[in-house]
Amino acid sequence: MAKCEQCGAEFSNWFGDVKHRCPKCEQQAAAPQQPPPQVLLPDGTLSPAPVQRTLPAPIVTRILIGINVAVFLAMVLLTRQFVEFDTPTALRWGADYGPATASGEWWRMLTSMFLHGGILHILVNMFALRNLGYTAELFYGRKNFLIIYMLSGFGGSAATLLWRPDSVSVGASGAIFGVAGALAAMVYFKKLPVDRALLKRDIGSIGAVIFYNLLIGAALPIINNAAHVGGLVAGAILGFTLPAMIFRTEREKSNSSGTIAIGIVIALIVAIGITGHQKLAAEEELYRADKAYEAGKKSEALQHLERAAAMHPETFTANFMIGAIYLDEGQPEKAVPFLEKAVQLQPENRAAKQALDRARNSLNK
C-alpha cells in the first residue's frame, strides 16, 4: 500500500510505479481547470486573459501518414494502377517476400511497412492510424510512440518471415496493430488516470481495423494476418512497459523497464528472423537462381538450383529448372532425371512433360 501525499489516503500500487497521489487525486489533477476570471484593475482595464494550455500536436502521426500517402501516390502515378497493385509491382517497390528478404534484402522489412495493396487498403489503414496514432502519441510521447510503431512493424515482418515466408506482404497494419496493442495494454492495466469511456472511439477503431484486416487477409494473398499478430504482440509488450508521458512527472518519465522492453522486442524480432531465415534456405536459393538466370548467368543459377534440390528433393521448381537449363545447354542426359522428377511431382504440368519429351527425343537421335 502507498499513501497519497495530497489527501493522505492509502491506495494500492500493484505494479510498483513511483506514484505519490491516489487515483482520485490523479484524476482531479488531470481534469481541465477553469481559468480564473478576468477582473477590473484600478486603472479601469481588465486583467490579461489566462494562457490556455494546449495539447502537443501529433507531429509523428502526421509524418507517418504523409509518408504512406506520398508513397501510394507515387506508385499510382508511375504504375497507373489504383484499385489494386499487382504482385510484380509490389515486389519492385519493396514488398516483403520471404526468399528475397532472407537472401539479404532485409530492407524489405522496412519498406513494406509504407506500401499498400490498393486504395481501399490505404484508406482503412490511414483512418486507423490517424485515430489510434493521435491518442498513442499523446499518451506515450513522440519518441515512445515512434518506437512502438516501428518495432511493431518490424515484429510483423519477422512474424511473416516465420509463418508465411512465401507470401508477398505490404501494409502498415502490422505497425498499426502494434499501436492498438499498446493502447489496449495501457487501458487494460490502467496505466493512466483516464476513464476507459474516453477511449471508446479508439477501441471502436481497433475493432474495425482488426475485422477488416482479418477479413481481407483471408481473401487476398498480398495481405497476411501473421504481420497483424506479430505487430500486436510487440506493441502490447512495449505498451505495457514503456512509460506514458502525459500526466507524469519528470521522475516518473524515466523508466528503465521501457529500455528493457525495447531490448526484449528487438531480441524476439532477431530470433524470429533467424528462425525464418533457416526455414527459407531452399526458397532463398531458388530466388537467387531466378535472379541469376534473368541476368543470363546460367551456371550460377544452376549452382543455386542444385543446392535447393539437395535441401528439398521434392521441390518441383528446382528440378524443373535444372532440367530445363541442362536441356538448353545441350545436355539431355543430365536433364532427363530432373525432368522425370518434376513430372512425377506435378504430373499435370504441361511444360514439364514437353521438356521431358524433348530431352528423351534428343537422346534417341
Side-chain angles (χ1 to χ4, degrees):
M1 300 292 287
K3 190 172 183 179
C4 178
E5 65 179 12
Q6 185 168 328
C7 67
E10 292 187 344
F11 64 97
S12 299
N13 190 7
W14 297 105
F15 298 101
D17 293 340
V18 182
K19 293 183 178 180
H20 305 282
R21 292 180 297 194
C22 65
K24 183 177 180 180
C25 291
E26 287 273 11
Q27 289 181 350
Q28 291 176 350
Q33 302 295 322
Q34 292 294 329
Q38 292 179 280
V39 297
L40 185 66
L41 298 176
D43 61 0
T45 61
L46 290 174
S47 61
V51 178
Q52 298 294 321
R53 182 183 177 186
T54 58
L55 295 175
I59 295 176
V60 175
T61 302
R62 291 173 180 173
I63 291 175
L64 290 172
I65 292 175
I67 294 173
N68 279 279
V69 172
V71 172
F72 177 79
L73 292 177
M75 291 181 70
V76 170
L77 291 174
L78 295 177
T79 66
R80 297 188 178 182
Q81 299 176 38
F82 180 72
V83 176
E84 183 179 345
F85 298 111
D86 56 37
T87 299
T89 297
L91 284 171
R92 285 195 302 271
W93 280 77
D96 194 11
Y97 176 51
T101 303
S103 67
E105 299 177 6
W106 296 99
W107 46 267
R108 291 181 179 274
M109 297 179 71
L110 172 64
T111 55
S112 61
M113 294 163 53
F114 297 96
L115 301 176
H116 287 83
I119 181 62
L120 182 60
H121 191 198
I122 191 171
L123 284 177
V124 172
N125 273 354
M126 292 305 100
F127 171 77
L129 177 56
R130 180 188 179 278
N131 287 338
L132 300 177
Y134 279 19
T135 304
E137 186 173 347
L138 172 65
F139 287 159
Y140 285 103
R142 292 168 182 166
K143 183 181 73 173
N144 284 348
F145 167 67
L146 185 60
I147 290 172
I148 291 170
Y149 185 90
M150 297 303 296
L151 286 184
S152 296
F154 282 121
S157 296
T160 300
L161 192 63
L162 180 62
W163 285 299
R164 290 196 57 184
D166 57 342
S167 67
V168 178
S169 178
V170 296
S173 51
I176 295 171
F177 265 67
V179 175
L183 285 174
M186 177 193 65
V187 174
Y188 183 79
F189 293 106
K190 299 181 180 179
K191 296 187 68 176
L192 295 177
V194 177
D195 191 336
R196 294 188 187 189
L198 297 178
L199 298 176
K200 184 177 180 180
R201 180 198 64 183
D202 300 298
I203 297 299
S205 297
I206 294 174
V209 74
I210 289 176
F211 173 78
Y212 166 77
N213 281 284
L214 291 178
L215 182 64
I216 66 171
L220 299 177
I222 201 170
I223 301 171
N224 75 87
N225 290 330
H228 304 158
V229 175
L232 186 67
V233 172
I237 294 173
L238 292 167
F240 174 71
T241 51
L242 282 174
M245 297 292 105
I246 193 171
F247 307 141
R248 297 295 181 97
T249 65
E250 290 301 320
R251 180 170 55 179
E252 291 171 323
K253 290 179 182 180
S254 58
N255 188 345
S256 61
S257 63
T259 304
I260 296 173
I262 294 172
I264 291 173
V265 171
I266 292 175
L268 286 173
I269 292 172
V270 172
I272 292 173
I274 292 173
T275 305
H277 180 272
Q278 293 172 345
K279 291 179 63 177
L280 279 168
E283 287 80 1
E284 178 184 342
E285 294 293 345
L286 290 175
Y287 179 78
R288 290 180 174 177
D290 186 59
K291 288 289 186 181
Y293 189 83
E294 289 180 356
K297 302 175 182 178
K298 291 186 178 180
S299 59
E300 181 181 337
L302 193 59
Q303 292 175 2
H304 290 300
L305 289 168
E306 288 175 340
R307 283 197 287 267
M311 294 175 189
H312 292 289
E314 304 302 311
T315 302
F316 167 81
T317 303
N319 285 282
F320 174 68
M321 290 186 67
I322 291 172
I325 290 176
Y326 277 135
L327 187 59
D328 290 342
E329 294 294 315
Q331 303 180 61
E333 69 282 357
K334 292 184 177 181
V336 168
F338 291 100
L339 292 173
E340 287 178 341
K341 183 67 174 180
V343 172
Q344 179 185 348
L345 292 170
Q346 291 190 13
E348 303 302 322
N349 191 291
R350 183 177 299 179
K353 287 182 177 180
Q354 291 175 348
L356 179 59
D357 290 340
R358 284 175 52 204
R360 286 173 173 170
N361 291 335
S362 297
L363 287 176
N364 293 331
K365 289 182 180 179

